[in-house]
Amino acid sequence: MTVVVRLAEVTREHGDVRALKGVNLEVAAGELVAVMGPSGSGKSTLLNLAGGLDRPTSGTVTVEGADLATVKDLAAFRRTSVGYVFQDLNLIPSLTAAENVMLPRELDGVRQGRARAEALAVLEEVGAAEVAGRFPEELSGGQRQRVAIARALAGERRLLLADEPTGALDTATGDAILQLLRARCDAGVAVLLVTHEPRYAAWADRVVYLRDGLIVESTSVRLESAR
Amino acid sequence: MSIRHGLLALLDRGPRYGYQLRVEFEAATGGTWPLNIGQVYTTLARLERDGLVEPGGADEQGRAVYAITGAGREELERWFGTPVAPGDRPRDELVIKIAMAVAGGAVDVAEVIQAQRAATMRALQELTRTKRAATGGLAERLVIDSSIFKAEAEQRWLDHCEAVSKEKSS
């Protein structure tokens, strides 16, 4: 299996606070890894480092073979290689669902027509085709999260980072979101999911627990595929 | 519950023979409650004794069919209308184990909690896989969901134990 993201002996200090104290973690293509842990355990720091939103104090982060310390334009790297889904969805209110999905691609110089075609295809994939022309305020919480996931996936990104993507959603909608992440994963994307809810972590192939900046336990289930 | 109310609920859809009741009962409960055919017949015999079902003759293949009676329908209605009492759960071994670990002092509580949490998470992962692979109907899905919610409650309680015992010891 191809490793998509690898963290090796990664530490991160914020002033005197050591948020991560030497973490080793790999996520392969087609693998869903969930990170759990109490607040302040370093979950979000880990996700930010894996996606190049932050740089480690020591250790290395490698995404698809590239050491992020050597990547000069991290912003461009983030737009092309990594998809992010956050709890606060950050959809732009004045743009339609489709335009929200197109935006990062257009920023990357993809022409409008192609960006639109890609956006419609990926909205279809996440089951949000029918809302492509609607504005965020006209969507339900679950639909907004589907659009946010579509935006994170547009442009064939192989790594998807999700920080509490089920946020305030009810459990049935939360399950639908996990079903969707799982399907993307089964299609070959590597997914790193931060959640404090065991029911969603349980969709992962591997669940790691962080405590005080260290991985303290890891559970994996590798049964026959349930796909 | 009783198996009797489960069988009454199935018979309320129409007359059925014993084996059919067994298959439908297991399908509705997502296979989490296997019945043997003996239990089905003993239960049917008691339901008949109590006037809640009656023999409905034989089907075209000669199998003895049972039908629900008026009294059976009333009993079923009463059952659906009555909430389940939290009642007589057997004492929970995990709760006792954690309580003893905290009280005893000789064991590392954090380790006991971690070991249990890993095991519960594995169970939760397997339940989720079962749910993804499930091809049965809504009833099956909701039965699996029930186990998922219970495992999740245990997991949350373990997190809570860890946080509280850490607070107390620091």
Side-chain angles (χ1 to χ4, degrees):
Chain A
M1 271 200 309
T2 331
V3 173
V4 175
V5 61
R6 172 182 286 128
L7 283 80
E9 294 300 328
V10 165
T11 71
R12 180 69 176 101
E13 294 169 13
H14 301 292
D16 290 341
V17 182
R18 296 175 72 200
L20 290 180
K21 299 176 182 167
V23 165
N24 293 294
L25 182 67
E26 288 182 354
V27 188
E31 194 181 23
L32 175 57
V33 174
V35 182
M36 298 194 77
S39 19
S41 59
K43 301 189 297 276
S44 293
T45 303
L46 189 154
L47 204 68
N48 289 341
L49 289 169
L53 290 165
D54 188 12
R55 289 186 188 272
T57 305
S58 67
T60 55
V61 179
T62 318
V63 176
E64 297 204 272
D67 180 349
L68 294 196
T70 67
V71 173
K72 290 218 177 59
D73 189 350
L74 268 186
F77 157 81
R78 290 195 295 259
R79 282 198 309 272
T80 53
S81 303
V82 191
Y84 305 86
V85 186
F86 294 111
Q87 185 173 355
D88 40 1
L89 312 151
N90 299 322
L91 293 180
I92 297 170
S94 58
L95 298 180
T96 64
E99 288 163 351
N100 265 285
V101 176
M102 291 164 64
L103 185 64
R105 297 293 287 153
E106 290 185 282
L107 287 175
D108 252 0
V110 173
R111 299 178 65 125
Q112 202 186 27
R114 188 177 146 204
R116 173 164 288 277
E118 278 177 4
L120 295 177
V122 74
L123 281 168
E124 171 89 49
E125 253 177 80
V126 303
E130 75 283 2
V131 302
R134 290 201 214 148
F135 293 94
E137 63 171 20
E138 300 168 332
L139 305 177
S140 69
Q143 286 169 331
R144 279 205 290 271
Q145 197 58 294
R146 282 173 195 269
V147 173
I149 290 172
R151 184 182 54 186
L153 291 168
E156 306 200 339
R157 280 167 283 198
R158 304 275 311 285
L159 175 61
L160 188 58
L161 304 175
D163 196 349
E164 302 284 0
T166 49
L169 302 175
D170 61 65
T171 48
T173 313
D175 273 2
I177 294 301
L178 262 296
Q179 182 107 48
L180 183 57
L181 290 178
R182 187 73 243 188
R184 295 309 305 164
C185 205
D186 294 348
V189 173
V191 181
L192 190 56
L193 163 74
V194 164
T195 180
H196 70 281
E197 304 210 49
R199 60 177 300 107
Y200 300 129
W203 286 76
D205 299 297
R206 194 145 51 91
V207 181
V208 301
Y209 287 88
L210 269 183
R211 175 146 23 82
D212 301 331
L214 285 169
I215 290 178
V216 289
E217 32 178 306
S218 172
T219 64
S220 50
V221 171
R222 277 246 171 250
L223 301 175
E224 73 287 4
S225 173
R227 280 158 214 175
Chain B
M1 131 162 167
S2 48
I3 297 165
R4 41 196 274 140
H5 291 110
L7 297 189
L8 280 178
L10 293 171
L11 288 170
D12 196 36
R13 302 181 199 166
R16 278 155 166 70
Y17 56 91
Y19 182 74
Q20 187 181 9
L21 284 167
R22 178 193 165 186
V23 169
E24 290 182 7
F25 185 94
E26 290 185 354
T29 54
T32 54
W33 196 341
L35 286 187
N36 66 49
I37 195 70
Q39 282 172 292
V40 174
Y41 285 116
T42 334
T43 310
L44 282 171
R46 285 186 193 140
L47 286 168
E48 189 182 346
R49 178 198 65 197
D50 298 341
L52 304 177
V53 306
E54 60 195 6
D59 67 3
E60 61 276 16
Q61 285 168 60
R63 289 173 296 218
V65 166
Y66 290 83
I68 193 166
T69 63
R73 282 208 181 83
E74 272 171 36
E75 171 60 20
L76 186 62
E77 206 173 298
R78 192 197 55 74
W79 180 64
F80 275 125
T82 314
V84 176
D88 307 316
R89 274 183 64 190
R91 290 189 181 81
D92 189 327
E93 186 186 346
L94 173 61
V95 175
I96 293 168
K97 192 184 277 188
I98 301 286
M100 290 302 158
V102 170
V107 282
D108 185 337
V109 180
E111 268 176 33
V112 176
I113 292 173
Q114 264 177 49
Q116 183 64 44
R117 195 166 47 193
T120 307
M121 179 50 77
R122 249 179 238 115
L124 201 48
Q125 284 172 284
E126 277 167 24
L127 283 166
T128 306
R129 280 182 182 252
T130 308
K131 174 159 126 173
R132 287 173 60 208
T135 50
L138 182 60
E140 181 184 14
R141 190 230 155 125
L142 294 179
V143 169
I144 300 171
D145 275 336
S146 163
S147 307
I148 288 177
F149 276 102
K150 281 177 195 151
E152 185 184 33
E154 184 171 293
Q155 197 78 344
R156 284 180 184 283
W157 179 70
L158 289 165
D159 287 343
H160 176 76
C161 290
E162 182 180 54
V164 173
S165 56
K166 204 173 164 186
E167 236 168 62
K168 294 284 176 200
S169 64
S170 64

